[in-house]
């Protein structure tokens, strides 16, 4: 019974991770209106938060697999670069920025630190 619950939870976490991944792509590529709140560099904070959540959810969803956590982090990093390239190549209303990639990477690194601190106390990532 417990293994069935763990399997169901794992499947839901993978589904959530996939939905977050797709959500980031959609929000990154569609045309959005101006934010009602104008704060300097708020966009970079949003990038860091989005990639923090993306990475952390994938780390947790795949923690019982043999997939190396650095490979997951690299996949999230590469995904962010692909999104930035797509913004430049397939949209006329978005621009890719190196600072966005840096913000994404910051979010991923924070996710690694949090994951190591709370989920993998005895195991290195």
């Amino acid at each position: 019974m417990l293994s069935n619950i763990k399997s169901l939870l794992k499947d839901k976490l993978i589904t959530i991770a996939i939905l977050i991944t797709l959500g980031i792509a959609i929000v990154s590529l569609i045309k959005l209106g101006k934010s009602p709140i104008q704060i300097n560099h708020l966009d970079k904070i949003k990038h860091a938060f989005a990639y923090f959540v993306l990475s952390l959810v994938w780390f947790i969803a795949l923690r019982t697999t043999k997939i190396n956590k650095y490979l997951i982090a690299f996949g999230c990093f590469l995904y962010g670069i692909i999104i930035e390239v797509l913004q430049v190549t397939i949209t006329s209303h978005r621009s890719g920025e190196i600072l966005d990639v840096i913000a994404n990477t910051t979010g991923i690194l924070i996710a690694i630190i949090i994951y190591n601190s709370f989920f993998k106390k005895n195991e290195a990532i």
Side-chain angles (χ1 to χ4, degrees):
M1 178 70 174
L2 187 58
S3 65
N4 290 339
I5 293 171
K6 284 183 180 180
S7 176
L8 183 62
L9 182 60
K10 180 182 172 197
D11 291 343
K12 284 187 179 183
L13 284 173
I14 289 175
T15 300
I16 290 168
I18 292 168
L19 290 173
I20 290 170
T21 304
L22 292 173
I24 288 172
I26 291 167
V27 170
S28 297
L29 298 173
I30 64 171
K31 187 173 185 173
L32 297 173
K34 290 216 176 215
S35 176
I37 301 172
Q38 297 299 321
I39 299 173
N40 289 339
H41 308 295
L42 180 62
D43 177 58
K44 304 314 174 227
I45 294 168
K46 289 178 185 177
H47 274 266
F49 181 74
Y51 280 80
F52 164 77
V53 171
L54 175 73
S55 301
L56 191 60
V57 170
W58 275 113
F59 291 156
I60 295 168
L62 299 176
R63 76 176 180 262
T64 59
T65 69
K66 293 185 180 193
I67 298 174
N68 184 297
K69 303 309 180 236
Y70 284 118
L71 185 59
I72 297 168
F74 180 72
C76 292
F77 171 76
L78 189 60
Y79 178 71
I81 291 173
I82 290 168
I83 292 294
E84 293 300 315
V85 169
L86 289 174
Q87 286 179 339
V88 171
T89 58
I90 69 169
T91 69
S92 60
H93 53 276
R94 294 289 185 129
S95 62
E97 297 180 27
I98 191 68
L99 289 178
D100 289 346
V101 174
I102 293 169
N104 298 347
T105 305
T106 301
I108 294 166
L109 293 174
I110 293 169
I112 290 170
I113 292 166
I114 298 295
Y115 183 79
N116 281 341
S117 297
F118 292 101
F119 295 101
K120 292 289 191 180
K121 289 187 184 239
N122 298 324
E123 181 180 328
I125 189 164

